[in-house]
Amino acid sequence: MADETCSASLADLLSGISAANSNATGAAQYICSQLETSALKTADLTTAIDTTFLLFSAYLVFAMQLGFAMLCAGSVRAKNTMNIMLTNVLDAAAGAIFYYLFGFSFAFGSPSNGFIGHHFFALKSMPTVGFNYSYFLFQWAFAIAAAGITSGSIAERTQFAAYLIYSSFLTGFVYPIVSHWFWSSDGWAAAARNPGESLLFGSGVIDFAGSGVVHMVGGIAGFWGALVEGPRIGRFDHNGRQVTLRGHSATLVVLGSFMLWFGWYGFNPGSFIYIARSYGPIGSPTNGQWSAVTTSLSGCTAALTTLFGKRLQTGHWNVVDVCNGLLGGFAAITAGCSVVEPWAAIICGFVAAWVLIGLNILAARFNYDDPLEAAQLHAGCGAWGVIFTALFAKERYVDEAYPGRPKRPHGLFMGGGGRLLAAHVIQILVISGWVSATMGPLFYGMHKMGLLRISPEDEMAGLDVTRHGGAAYAYHDDDSPDNAGDGSGGGFMMKTTTMRVEPQLTPSSANQA
């Protein structure tokens, strides 16, 4: 039909130019065929550009696994380094299999109902319109990020089998259903729901890259794991006062934080999925990548706020605390990175830092032990990010990021009323309830069956030696048995001292002084 319309129109045009030309229709058909070929080539090029962008974003998000691994390794004691790095590897490996078999289907198996998807098991019937392998890879990287968050909360005292069980369950069932609710076009609370279907409170939930879907899910799951297991041995004394069990390498913490920062540029901007288009009138310079700016500003503001906030609290400039604050700012801005102004991102990061500091104080008061502050950081700052988006989402940005339904409710403080805020409160409640109802019983069941926590003897000796065949380094922690009890006679002891050591001067240097 398009060819006929094109040919007829051109035939009329050509006949008006030269009525004597009997080949006007033939010429029109030729021109139309050339235009159609050009349009198809342009469509293929656009698809290739968008696919390249999505794959590159997936690679960046996947690189965050290295960031998680280094952050976790630096935040635990040296005797548990190999264990925590292995769990990060297996989060990705086990997550790939279970997300392939079940998770992607539960999340995006369309058409489906509002609660759960039920197509594309083991990627059957893919690729299809709207769903290809690059999209699967991108979403898998998000799923294993949620599992990586949880592993930090239960570090240094968890059996290896428990990691495999919870990671498979989280990536194959718990997380995919949450992502279906808020990210699938069939989801009951999705802001990008199918045209013609009603939106929750007329707005749907704007959780663009997953402050709720990813960070709250991983953080709440980690909260239940750490709560059921209880604190590490020695974390609190007999009077309930906290004892600091410092991670063994601030260097690895900083390295991991920078890797996560780098990966977040795939996490947030990559969630646009497409890049070969503008978000406005044809020729508009707006292409959606302001989200990289808001992401940077929120994280940097949170880092600086934490730096001075912890200085007032402890009297020290602590790089580990600053790194955690930085990540808290990133977790908070993830929901609204595409729909808020840069100045609002600064507010987001500032408040996120105080949310993290406050939750850490609360955790210490109730003898809650999370070696990486993962629950406080990801669940707490993630929840703040969900609320922040409902307060500061700008109408124009909302319409550009979620086209097709103009004039939908936006941020309360931006004149959009309270309907978006109501939807986001519902999101926080249902995520908290769903993850608690699924992961809480799972951790409790493993605890009752003796599958969750290692023995006190193994915990004191360290998981590397007792469960993984040897230490990750050629030295041992101060609280580790000499030579790891294996008769190796190995290693040297790294110790700290409060004694000041003065430099020794040679006679020649003394004369120079």
Side-chain angles (χ1 to χ4, degrees):
M1 181 64 69
D3 289 344
E4 294 175 3
T5 302
C6 179
S7 299
S9 300
L10 283 173
D12 291 341
L13 177 61
L14 292 174
S15 63
I17 297 174
S18 178
N21 188 351
S22 60
N23 294 322
T25 301
Q29 290 176 343
Y30 173 76
I31 295 173
C32 283
S33 67
Q34 295 301 307
L35 291 174
E36 182 181 2
T37 300
S38 298
L40 291 174
K41 289 182 178 179
T42 301
D44 287 344
L45 180 61
T46 300
T47 300
I49 293 172
D50 287 337
T51 300
T52 301
F53 170 70
L54 186 60
L55 283 173
F56 182 69
S57 298
Y59 303 153
L60 287 177
V61 178
F62 180 73
M64 295 176 78
Q65 290 300 117
L66 175 59
F68 279 125
M70 295 299 98
L71 179 69
C72 290
S75 299
V76 302
R77 289 163 291 179
K79 62 184 180 181
N80 297 310
T81 306
M82 190 179 299
N83 171 263
I84 196 65
M85 288 194 293
L86 182 57
T87 61
N88 276 269
V89 172
L90 290 177
D91 280 339
I97 300 302
F98 281 87
Y99 198 71
Y100 158 75
L101 292 173
F102 310 109
F104 187 78
S105 172
F106 291 152
F108 300 102
S110 181
S112 64
N113 57 58
F115 178 76
I116 188 172
H118 48 78
H119 291 86
F120 309 137
F121 288 102
L123 301 187
K124 184 178 180 181
S125 301
M126 283 187 64
T128 187
V129 177
F131 296 98
N132 54 33
Y133 295 120
S134 58
Y135 189 70
F136 163 79
L137 192 71
F138 183 69
Q139 294 298 339
W140 160 69
F142 274 71
I144 61 176
I149 291 168
T150 305
S151 66
S153 296
I154 57 178
E156 297 205 281
R157 73 262 204 209
T158 305
Q159 292 192 43
F160 189 65
Y163 281 110
L164 289 175
I165 294 171
Y166 98 77
S167 181
S168 302
F169 187 59
L170 185 67
T171 55
F173 182 68
V174 177
Y175 166 81
I177 290 181
V178 175
S179 59
H180 180 82
W181 294 347
F182 303 109
W183 285 349
S184 170
S185 59
D186 298 316
W188 62 270
R193 203 173 187 201
N194 292 316
E197 296 183 2
S198 62
L199 298 175
L200 179 65
F201 294 113
S203 66
V205 170
I206 299 177
D207 189 0
F208 188 74
S211 289
V213 173
V214 178
H215 295 283
M216 282 190 65
V217 168
I220 294 172
F223 167 78
W224 284 108
L227 186 68
V228 171
E229 280 196 293
R232 292 166 291 173
I233 295 174
R235 180 66 178 86
F236 299 96
D237 65 18
H238 296 295
N239 296 319
R241 292 174 297 190
Q242 64 172 326
V243 176
T244 301
L245 300 180
R246 295 190 181 279
H248 79 281
S249 176
T251 302
L252 290 179
V253 171
V254 173
L255 174 62
S257 298
F258 272 111
M259 282 300 304
L260 288 168
W261 188 340
F262 179 64
W264 236 292
Y265 291 130
F267 207 92
N268 287 2
S271 293
F272 278 94
I273 306 300
Y274 309 105
I275 196 171
R277 65 187 60 188
S278 62
Y279 293 83
I282 295 177
S284 170
T286 306
N287 63 4
Q289 298 316 310
W290 66 88
S291 59
V293 175
T294 54
T295 298
S296 301
L297 291 175
S298 178
C300 293
T301 301
L304 292 173
T305 304
T306 305
L307 174 69
F308 291 103
K310 294 295 288 187
R311 167 69 173 172
L312 293 174
Q313 184 182 3
T314 66
H316 301 291
W317 307 102
N318 192 312
V319 67
V320 175
D321 290 334
V322 171
C323 287
N324 284 337
L326 174 81
L327 300 179
F330 288 150
I333 195 61
T334 297
C337 60
S338 64
V339 295
V340 300
E341 293 274 16
W343 60 263
I346 293 175
I347 296 175
C348 178
F350 178 79
V351 176
W354 290 110
V355 167
L356 179 60
I357 291 172
L359 288 176
N360 282 334
I361 294 173
L362 195 64
R365 174 169 294 185
F366 287 95
N367 288 6
Y368 173 79
D369 182 24
D370 184 328
L372 274 90
E373 303 175 6
Q376 302 94 295
L377 193 162
H378 294 279
C381 294
W384 156 242
V386 171
I387 296 298
F388 160 79
T389 304
L391 299 177
F392 290 94
K394 186 175 181 178
E395 180 181 10
R396 193 190 97 193
Y397 291 166
V398 170
D399 290 341
E400 290 172 352
Y402 297 91
R405 303 194 191 192
K407 306 300 181 182
R408 71 167 77 205
H410 50 284
L412 177 64
F413 293 166
M414 307 301 287
R419 287 188 290 172
L420 182 61
L421 178 60
H424 283 210
V425 170
I426 293 295
Q427 183 194 22
I428 291 174
L429 293 176
V430 297
I431 289 178
S432 300
W434 170 252
V435 179
S436 297
T438 51
M439 297 302 295
L442 176 69
F443 282 117
Y444 185 74
M446 288 192 292
H447 170 69
K448 284 297 184 182
M449 291 186 290
L451 298 175
L452 187 58
R453 184 154 186 162
I454 60 175
S455 67
E457 294 77 15
D458 286 355
E459 186 174 345
M460 292 298 294
L463 284 161
D464 288 0
V465 172
T466 61
R467 298 300 176 97
H468 301 291
Y473 302 104
Y475 64 83
H476 308 289
D477 288 327
D478 289 344
D479 57 350
S480 298
D482 290 341
N483 300 329
D486 59 4
S488 64
F492 57 89
M493 182 72 75
M494 289 192 69
K495 296 183 178 180
T496 60
T497 177
T498 57
M499 182 181 299
R500 179 177 176 81
V501 179
E502 299 293 342
Q504 299 294 321
L505 299 178
T506 63
S508 59
S509 63
N511 293 333
Q512 293 175 0

